[in-house]
Structures are given as C-alpha cells and as structure tokens.
Amino acid sequence: MERSPEKERNAGRTREAILVAAEHLFAERGYDATSLTDVGGAAGVSRGTPGYFFGSKEQLYRDVLERCLERVRAAV
C-alpha cells in the first residue's frame, strides 16, 4: 500500500510544524502555560514528537527564539 505524500514522514516538515506551533503558543500563552503536549497537538503530531525532536521544552523554546533572531538578522 502506498502512502499519500502528505502522510509520509518528513523530519524537516515535522520539525518546522513544531517550531511554528511552539512560536505561536509561547507568544500567546507564555512559556509556563505551554506544554510539549500542547505544542504537539497544535502541530498535528503525537504528544511525544516535540520531545523527540527537541529533547525538552527549554530546548524547544531556545530553538524558537533562535529562529526568531535569525529572521531579525536577515531583515537587518
């Protein structure tokens, strides 16, 4: 049975979806009120997937901040 392209595993796309969801949730709710489970749900992945990719909420937050800073650097 062949998988449809949108159902295929794609680590880069999954990581990006997690970062986008986390950025939105951290901005909206704050760090303390956002869980990795929340991020997984918002990204459309299992609740453990953000932890698999980033290890911890702290590391995910750092990566979100770095991503934001990269956009600022590129604009300047």
Side-chain angles (χ1 to χ4, degrees):
M1 186 159 101
E2 208 172 299
R3 290 181 183 224
S4 63
E6 63 274 357
K7 293 289 184 180
E8 286 185 27
R9 290 185 182 174
N10 181 315
R13 187 172 53 222
T14 300
R15 187 174 195 285
E16 180 67 15
I18 292 167
L19 285 168
V20 167
E23 181 179 342
H24 175 77
L25 290 172
F26 287 141
E28 183 179 281
R29 299 180 183 177
Y31 178 84
D32 289 333
T34 301
S35 70
L36 289 179
T37 300
D38 296 334
V39 173
V45 298
S46 71
R47 69 181 196 172
T49 302
Y52 173 81
F53 275 91
F54 296 93
S56 67
K57 182 168 84 167
E58 179 182 353
Q59 186 58 52
L60 175 57
Y61 188 70
R62 288 174 184 264
D63 287 355
V64 166
L65 291 177
E66 183 58 37
R67 186 171 177 261
C68 291
L69 289 172
E70 284 297 322
R71 289 195 305 249
V72 170
R73 287 183 198 115
V76 173

